[in-house]
Amino acid sequence: MFLSLRAEVEDALEGALSALEFPTDDLGIEEPPDDVDSVLASSVAFRLASEAGAPPPQVAGQVADEINADDLTYVSEIRTQGPYLNFLPSDAYLAATLEDATDERYGRLPDRDTSVVVEHTSANPTGPVHVGRARNPIIGDAVANVLDFAGYDVDRHYYVNDAGRQMAVFTWAYETFDEAALEEEPERDRVEYDLVRYYRKGNAFLENAPVDEVADAEAEIESIMQGLEAGDDEAYERVSEVVDQVLGGMTECLARLPAEFDEFVKETRFMRNGDTDDLVSRLKELDEAVYEEDAWQLELDDHGIDKNLVFLRSDDTSLYATRDLAHHEWKFDEYDRAVTVLGEDHKLQARQLRTTLELLGNDTEGLRQVLYSYVNLPEGKMSTRRGTGVDLDDLLDEAIDRAREEVEDRLDDRIRDDELDDDDIERIAHQVGIGAVRYDIVSKQPTKAITFEWDRALDFEAQSAPYVQYVHARCCGILEESAARSAAEDASGQRPRAADIDLETSMDDVETAVDADLLETEAERDLLETIARFPAVVDEAADDLEPHQIATYTREFADRFNAFYRECPVLADDVDPDVREARLALVAASKHAVANALSILGVAAPRSM
């Protein structure tokens, strides 16, 4: 409803400004501070003061007088406060919000008939996913989720580097060394932990072996790279045997987050189909193309980039950047928009890529890049199976272990009468532990470096994932208790088990009979107004490609719900039955809003905690 109210306010302001013969290009619409009793405000009077020849408060009064609130559906009154116009919500606005939000799909925006490909993670398939790169799949998955929720047709892609030197080295090492030659055991029983030992062994050999043996190895590595460049099937199959196995293990790790993909796009695809060769020919024809230092390069100084883009080596092998250019042209052919999530260390490459695509005649308006800083861990606060680095699996395991301890410690303080067995505790530990990791990472602006802190991430009382998740569990508890009471009355006292109650079905009768006007307290109205804003938050987060806006919303929402929970009993015996039904509908609406917000962030919404 917030989007509808905003559109109504925009139309009203445009009409008033036109009637007063003022320009309508900037309406100055904004959300007011919390202590202002309105849903939207306008600062347009500031802009118009000089033109009107009057102080801003007087201009605000003129504009307000030109708007008849009786002609509006979702605005009950326009009040001026100094230079500001404040638009207060009508009962119809709150009633429509409650009705819309009792749909479990609440917050989803209409289909935009626009396709978007979101490329994220794309870590080289050389071994386990490192925790420092964990921000990419978490942000990338959330970006894809918010775009999907905002009505876009989204595909999630992982771009696989299967053609570079690293993969040629990995393939050579895998074919050269026996298991017995490896000096360490796999750190986990999964294929990428097994095979990364060959990669490490190969790199150590190339650094330390006798010169003649290294020369022979380098010749074989070069042969693999040349074979890939020539589209040789045997070279491709040799490399694919390693890549596909390692990628399969990495995919299992990412699925724990979860982060899943619609397609794994290999860069060799654009070598084997001729796209890279065609692109190299076109690059050589550009005015910026030069051959120097034994390589073809683009001089981009005139475009504000002081580092050349190397696109072809002297041995006629292409580079990652070359193949990625072909990859992006393919994206432009297949999709309306393309989004790439990249680490901050790729900022230069991102600029080179965009500039070169434009030099090749591509329209890059639909290309957007989300850059992020890396995740740090506090020294001494993270257990690991080895002394070098921390893998994402390590972080997720420890998150689950710590969450399990927290859940078990809180068992005696639970007020719900459902008994949690070991399976329940394990399920909640996974939901809370992994949710804490995802939420803590995605809730920060991606360009800011973060240090992951366990105490903050797993704090049930602070503004963390468990804090928000607990709101959802609390909503479910209220709805379960209401449904159980109704079922017991219908079945002569036989209460169903909480887990057997279908919460959506149980609310059907309530939702069709509620009177939103009965939600009269400040806490109820604040909560309902916060729920109303959710679709608009989705819309803005999608436009900005900033899922952390959803996280910010969930914290505000949790505060509003907890105030409602403290001040407005729902199932108490002394609550008027009609008020109880209205509050139950508000709880159901809250459940949908918070569950869907968490789902965009990729965080589970537990039914009990």
Side-chain angles (χ1 to χ4, degrees):
M1 275 304 105
F2 185 88
L3 292 172
S4 298
L5 182 146
R6 186 184 180 99
E8 188 173 71
V9 168
E10 289 173 351
D11 289 343
L13 277 173
E14 285 183 4
L17 296 181
S18 296
L20 294 168
E21 298 184 347
F22 289 141
T24 61
D25 53 313
D26 181 4
L27 301 178
I29 294 176
E30 59 191 59
E31 292 185 37
D34 289 342
D35 60 353
V36 176
D37 188 22
S38 68
V39 176
L40 280 177
S42 171
S43 60
V44 69
F46 279 113
R47 179 176 62 82
L48 299 176
S50 59
E51 183 168 343
Q58 184 177 329
V59 177
Q62 287 180 278
V63 176
D65 289 342
E66 199 64 38
I67 301 174
N68 185 357
D70 292 340
D71 295 335
L72 305 179
T73 302
Y74 300 123
V75 175
S76 64
E77 185 181 352
I78 301 97
R79 293 179 187 168
T80 59
Q81 183 177 5
Y84 291 96
L85 291 94
N86 293 317
F87 297 84
L88 279 65
S90 67
D91 291 340
Y93 173 73
L94 299 176
T97 294
L98 188 61
E99 181 179 357
D100 286 354
T102 46
D103 181 344
E104 61 183 320
R105 289 173 50 85
Y106 180 65
R108 279 198 172 274
L109 303 183
D111 186 359
R112 299 176 189 249
D113 193 27
T114 302
S115 61
V116 183
V117 57
V118 177
E119 177 202 331
H120 68 84
T121 308
S122 301
N124 292 342
T126 53
V129 181
H130 189 270
V131 71
R133 299 280 177 175
R135 210 169 184 183
N136 195 313
I138 290 173
I139 292 174
D141 189 60
V143 166
N145 290 343
V146 76
L147 287 169
D148 175 69
F149 223 79
Y152 293 94
D153 180 12
V154 179
D155 277 352
R156 298 158 169 83
H157 284 189
Y158 188 122
Y159 185 50
V160 183
N161 177 1
D162 65 334
R165 173 179 166 81
Q166 284 181 309
M167 297 319 304
V169 169
F170 203 160
T171 301
W172 160 78
Y174 179 68
E175 295 174 346
T176 299
F177 299 106
D178 294 327
E179 170 82 20
L182 305 178
E183 299 172 358
E184 57 193 57
E185 292 297 316
E187 292 149 16
R188 288 177 185 265
D189 184 19
R190 210 168 60 216
V191 64
E192 78 272 34
Y193 287 91
D194 179 21
L195 297 191
V196 71
R197 299 178 299 152
Y198 293 90
Y199 183 62
R200 293 171 182 160
K201 178 70 175 179
N203 280 297
F205 181 90
L206 294 174
E207 289 179 8
N208 303 312
V211 174
D212 58 336
E213 294 183 28
V214 171
D216 291 342
E218 289 289 0
E220 180 59 25
I221 292 166
E222 178 66 20
S223 172
I224 294 171
M225 294 176 65
Q226 290 286 355
L228 290 174
E229 200 71 40
D232 179 68
D233 288 340
E234 181 183 358
Y236 174 75
E237 290 168 4
R238 289 169 66 188
V239 172
S240 292
E241 182 179 358
V242 177
V243 168
D244 292 348
Q245 290 187 79
V246 174
L247 194 60
M250 295 170 69
T251 302
E252 287 186 44
C253 170
L254 293 168
R256 299 181 65 190
L257 283 171
E260 298 178 346
F261 300 89
D262 297 300
E263 188 173 353
F264 292 84
V265 181
K266 292 184 176 180
E267 61 176 329
T268 50
R269 170 179 187 164
F270 306 103
M271 302 165 71
R272 293 166 63 80
N273 68 6
D275 285 355
T276 302
D277 288 340
D278 174 69
L279 186 127
V280 166
S281 297
R282 290 158 55 210
L283 289 172
K284 287 181 178 179
E285 294 175 0
L286 296 175
D287 293 339
E288 291 80 0
V290 296
Y291 187 85
E292 59 185 35
E293 299 181 2
D294 293 327
W296 278 96
Q297 309 180 37
L298 293 183
E299 291 183 336
L300 301 175
D301 302 69
D302 291 344
H303 304 277
I305 301 173
D306 58 8
K307 185 175 178 61
N308 287 4
L309 173 71
V310 179
F311 63 87
L312 193 69
R313 301 184 184 93
S314 58
D315 60 2
D316 285 337
T317 55
S318 59
L319 288 87
Y320 179 90
T322 324
R323 301 183 288 271
D324 200 24
L325 286 164
H327 172 216
H328 273 76
E329 290 196 326
W330 171 80
K331 288 182 186 180
F332 293 160
D333 288 340
E334 297 292 323
Y335 297 92
D336 299 317
R337 292 176 54 185
V339 176
T340 311
V341 181
L342 298 165
E344 62 182 356
D345 55 338
H346 288 80
K347 187 180 295 185
L348 170 63
Q349 292 90 325
R351 291 181 61 207
Q352 290 176 323
L353 177 82
R354 181 182 293 276
T355 300
T356 304
L357 286 168
E358 291 170 352
L359 290 172
L360 290 168
N362 295 283
D363 181 359
T364 62
E365 184 178 350
L367 173 63
R368 296 182 62 184
Q369 292 144 337
V370 178
L371 297 170
Y372 66 91
S373 296
Y374 294 110
V375 177
N376 301 308
L377 294 174
E379 189 70 25
K381 297 289 185 68
M382 181 70 208
S383 63
T384 177
R385 293 174 173 79
R386 67 179 192 279
T388 57
V390 178
D391 295 322
L392 178 57
D393 281 311
D394 298 324
L395 180 68
L396 297 181
D397 284 351
E398 184 150 348
I400 293 167
D401 290 343
R402 287 174 179 257
R404 186 186 301 109
E405 292 177 6
E406 185 70 27
V407 172
E408 289 174 342
D409 288 345
R410 298 170 66 90
L411 285 177
D412 292 339
D413 298 328
R414 298 180 79 248
I415 60 174
R416 288 173 67 169
D417 60 3
D418 59 331
E419 293 293 332
L420 298 182
D421 59 23
D422 289 344
D423 289 340
D424 292 326
I425 292 173
E426 195 62 27
R427 168 184 54 78
I428 295 169
H430 276 74
Q431 292 174 322
V432 171
I434 293 177
V437 171
R438 284 196 65 132
Y439 189 92
D440 195 66
I441 289 174
V442 79
S443 63
K444 311 297 190 303
Q445 289 189 24
T447 53
K448 293 184 177 179
I450 60 173
T451 298
F452 186 84
E453 294 281 1
W454 289 113
D455 290 344
R456 179 189 64 215
L458 286 168
D459 191 339
F460 278 61
E461 309 301 330
Q463 294 187 329
S464 60
Y467 178 72
V468 178
Q469 288 173 311
Y470 196 73
V471 166
H472 182 266
R474 183 165 272 168
C475 290
C476 292
I478 294 170
L479 298 175
E480 283 175 4
E481 177 62 21
S482 173
R485 290 184 185 183
S486 298
E489 293 172 3
D490 294 342
S492 302
Q494 295 297 315
R495 286 173 61 96
R497 293 190 320 122
D500 294 334
I501 296 173
D502 184 330
L503 296 181
E504 296 304 325
T505 301
S506 71
M507 284 304 300
D508 286 346
D509 292 338
V510 171
E511 293 164 9
T512 58
V514 297
D515 182 357
D517 290 345
L518 295 173
L519 301 174
E520 298 176 334
T521 70
E522 182 179 355
E524 290 167 321
R525 294 177 72 87
D526 284 349
L527 177 57
L528 198 46
E529 288 179 16
T530 303
I531 292 170
R533 286 181 42 241
F534 178 48
V537 175
V538 171
D539 190 47
E540 185 172 352
D543 284 349
D544 298 339
L545 299 180
E546 293 182 347
H548 70 268
Q549 294 183 25
I550 304 291
T552 300
Y553 171 82
T554 63
R555 293 194 292 271
E556 179 186 341
F557 176 88
D559 289 342
R560 293 283 192 273
F561 182 87
N562 288 334
F564 160 78
Y565 183 81
R566 288 191 302 268
E567 299 172 22
C568 304
V570 179
L571 300 177
D573 292 340
D574 59 349
V575 176
D576 177 85
D578 290 336
V579 173
R580 178 183 300 118
E581 296 301 293
R583 289 178 178 173
L584 280 169
L586 182 56
V587 171
S590 299
K591 172 184 175 295
H592 297 148
V594 72
N596 291 337
L598 287 172
S599 74
I600 290 172
L601 301 176
V603 175
R607 184 159 167 169
S608 62
M609 286 177 66

